[in-house]
């Protein structure tokens, strides 16, 4: 969706100049171990994949907000390191993490205390390549009794969702049962496979899908590409979906890789734009989020009405967002090309201040952020994914104290 910076009213122009100035100050507030004021990341041209080229100064757009956010982030340590292309993360009862490696198809368990890494096994049928492979992980509220682990992954023919029984009594490396496919046929591509998987407060399973680099399916409600899907744990259309016989919850997305619910159980999604604007969207059932007709915020009457505007937009150089989490009254968005963690403080459905950037350039590309349950965050780097510059110890899981 297109942005609204081009206002000709003189007073509005003054406000916008002040906003840009304030945001520049906000993104310079980098707090935490090894923080720097630098930004940017390793890009790849062509098709605007996860880290593609896009110029622009830090200029997130928040309508009516002129004050920067206030808060702090402190990195209290590295929980685990040496992970290869980590992507999906699921929190187990008790706080331990399940982490999936995109390219190897391996799932490991990381102890929340001490960081011990135990291999569960690999998901059979994973076909890695570019942005495909083992992507999102999720566990249901019933995990304590059914021990089911859900995975979203790319195969040779499609993207699909399967569940496996995790049996801790078996030997490490052989603790995953055979996958039982609950939903298949999601279009796959070299880029834009979406892949975030999460159980909502309603205990339904949500999955984000990408447009696979082919724009048209995002507007086709008969396709599962470029959508957010909502289904029962068995993969059936969930009661209350816009269409009773469809898992499609909304449409018009390019590539959503972040899903999170706020304190009011409202669903938010972070989305890759193309060359103009990345987006944070408030998700409502049946809404059309505009891609490919609109990128960023709508501009006057230049496009047809009926598209949902994003709540916040960023230039791709400052974001290229992946994971999304909610903690302490704010959304937290991990950025790949932007190499920073964004905080968006909320009051209901509205930001109450301009987004604030942390850890800019300090740890490279940031893939996934997860609420730790005590107001803290787990933050997963993504420097071994083929587009980053690995550092000693990468990839790693960091623990963050936030306020």
């Amino acid at each position: 969706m297109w942005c609204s910076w081009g206002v000709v009213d003189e007073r509005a122009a003054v406000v916008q100049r002040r906003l840009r100035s304030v945001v520049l100050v906000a993104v310079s507030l980098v707090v935490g171990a090894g923080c720097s004021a630098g930004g940017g990341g390793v890009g790849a041209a062509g098709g605007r994949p996860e880290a593609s080229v896009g110029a622009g100064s830090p200029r997130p757009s928040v309508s009516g907000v002129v004050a920067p956010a206030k808060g702090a982030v402190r990195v209290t340590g590295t929980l685990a390191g040496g992970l290869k292309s980590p992507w999906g993360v699921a929190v187990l009862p008790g706080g331990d993490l399940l982490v999936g490696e995109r390219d190897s198809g391996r799932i490991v368990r990381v102890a929340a205390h001490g960081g011990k890494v135990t291999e569960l096994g690999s998901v059979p049928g994973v076909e890695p390549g570019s942005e495909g492979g083992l992507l999102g992980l999720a566990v249901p509220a019933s995990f304590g009794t059914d021990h089911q682990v859900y995975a979203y992954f790319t195969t040779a023919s499609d993207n699909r969702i399967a569940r496996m029984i995790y049996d801790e009594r078996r030997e490490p490396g052989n603790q995953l049962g055979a996958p039982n496919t609950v939903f298949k046929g999601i279009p796959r591509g070299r880029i834009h496979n979406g892949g975030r998987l999460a159980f909502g407060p309603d205990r339904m399973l949500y999955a984000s899908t990408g447009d696979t680099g082919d724009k048209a399916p995002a507007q086709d409600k008969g396709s599962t590409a470029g959508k957010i899907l909502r289904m029962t744990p068995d993969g059936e259309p969930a009661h209350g979906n816009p269409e009773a016989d469809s898992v499609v919850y909304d449409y018009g997305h390019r590539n959503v890789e972040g899903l999170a619910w706020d304190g009011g159980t409202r669903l938010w999604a972070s989305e890759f734009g193309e060359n103009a604007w990345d987006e944070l969207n408030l998700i409502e059932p049946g809404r059309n989020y505009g891609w490919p007709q609109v990128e960023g915020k709508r501009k006057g009457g230049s496009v047809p009405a009926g598209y949902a505007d994003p709540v916040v937009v960023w230039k791709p150089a400052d974001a290229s967002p992946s994971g999304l989490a909610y903690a302490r009254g704010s959304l937290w968005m991990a950025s790949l090309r932007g190499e920073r963690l964004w905080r968006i403080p909320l009051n209901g459905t509205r930001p109450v201040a301009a987004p604030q950037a942390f850890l800019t350039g300090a740890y490279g590309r940031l893939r996934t952020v997860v609420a730790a349950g005590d107001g803290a965050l787990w933050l997963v780097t993504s420097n071994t994914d083929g587009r980053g510059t690995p550092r000693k110890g990468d990839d790693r899981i960091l623990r963050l104290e936030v306020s």
Side-chain angles (χ1 to χ4, degrees):
M1 306 172 192
W2 297 342
C3 70
S4 57
W5 288 106
V7 180
V8 297
D9 183 89
E10 182 178 356
R11 289 171 299 174
V14 171
V15 170
Q16 289 169 348
R17 286 194 294 270
R18 289 175 179 172
L19 173 58
R20 287 194 289 268
S21 177
V22 166
V23 171
L24 286 170
V25 173
V27 297
S28 69
L29 296 174
V30 285
V31 184
C35 297
S36 73
V42 178
R48 175 64 169 111
E50 291 178 349
S52 68
V53 177
S57 60
R59 223 175 28 165
S61 168
V62 188
S63 178
V65 176
V66 295
K70 294 181 180 179
V73 165
R74 184 169 66 96
V75 179
T76 59
T78 298
L79 179 66
L83 301 170
K84 302 304 178 187
S85 61
W87 210 103
V89 176
V91 182
L92 294 174
D96 286 0
L97 306 178
L98 295 185
V99 181
E101 294 181 332
R102 186 192 68 187
D103 297 337
S104 69
R106 186 177 75 141
I107 299 177
V108 299
R109 178 171 181 161
V110 181
H113 301 285
K116 180 183 178 181
V117 176
T118 303
E119 181 176 351
L120 276 62
S122 296
V123 179
V126 171
E127 186 80 14
S130 189
E131 294 176 12
L134 177 58
L135 302 175
L137 296 179
V139 295
S142 58
F143 177 85
T145 55
D146 62 24
H147 309 291
Q148 298 274 9
V149 176
Y150 286 70
Y152 181 118
F153 59 96
T154 310
T155 73
S157 60
D158 65 358
N159 286 298
R160 62 181 58 187
I161 301 167
R163 60 187 176 194
M164 299 150 284
I165 294 177
Y166 169 26
D167 188 349
E168 295 182 59
R169 298 169 299 179
R170 301 175 70 174
E171 291 294 319
N174 191 34
Q175 295 179 330
L176 292 177
N180 173 25
T181 300
V182 298
F183 194 86
K184 62 182 180 180
I186 302 169
R188 59 158 286 169
R190 184 183 65 84
I191 58 174
H192 303 176
N193 289 290
R196 198 60 67 177
L197 198 62
F199 280 93
D202 56 3
R203 300 198 173 194
M204 296 296 104
L205 181 62
Y206 292 74
S208 67
T209 71
D211 69 1
T212 73
D214 179 7
K215 299 177 180 180
Q219 287 293 318
D220 177 3
K221 289 190 281 187
S223 170
T224 52
K227 311 292 190 297
I228 293 175
L229 311 179
R230 178 177 178 262
M231 65 191 74
T232 70
D234 295 325
E236 298 296 325
H239 178 73
N241 279 2
E243 297 182 14
D245 60 349
S246 174
V247 298
V248 172
Y249 192 61
D250 73 345
Y251 65 109
H253 293 293
R254 188 169 184 271
N255 193 34
V256 169
E257 288 191 5
L259 297 173
W261 286 264
D262 65 21
T265 67
R266 291 170 288 257
L267 176 59
W268 298 78
S270 53
E271 178 171 357
F272 284 89
E274 190 171 33
N275 296 313
W277 300 104
D278 293 331
E279 302 178 358
L280 174 69
N281 284 296
L282 175 63
I283 302 302
E284 297 176 309
R287 294 300 300 274
N288 183 351
Y289 288 82
W291 178 255
Q293 276 75 11
V294 191
E295 180 184 356
K297 294 192 174 185
R298 286 181 290 125
K299 185 177 181 180
S302 59
V303 297
Y307 300 117
D309 263 350
V311 176
V312 189
V313 296
W314 291 262
K315 284 293 187 180
D318 306 318
S320 298
S322 190
L324 190 67
Y326 179 80
R328 295 196 181 278
S330 294
L331 288 167
W332 302 82
M333 189 179 81
S335 297
L336 291 164
R337 185 177 173 211
E339 296 190 353
R340 65 199 76 179
L341 179 68
W342 284 101
R343 173 182 177 243
I344 305 98
L346 297 176
N347 181 6
T349 62
R350 300 292 300 169
V352 294
Q356 185 179 15
F358 296 98
L359 309 179
T360 306
Y363 295 97
R365 292 159 57 83
L366 304 178
R367 170 69 66 183
T368 298
V369 57
V370 179
D374 56 359
L377 298 171
W378 299 116
L379 182 63
V380 182
T381 67
S382 188
N383 296 314
T384 59
D385 67 347
R387 292 199 173 108
T389 302
R391 312 171 189 202
K392 185 177 180 180
D394 280 341
D395 270 309
R396 64 192 77 196
I397 302 173
L398 305 170
R399 181 177 172 83
L400 276 57
E401 297 288 344
V402 302
S403 62

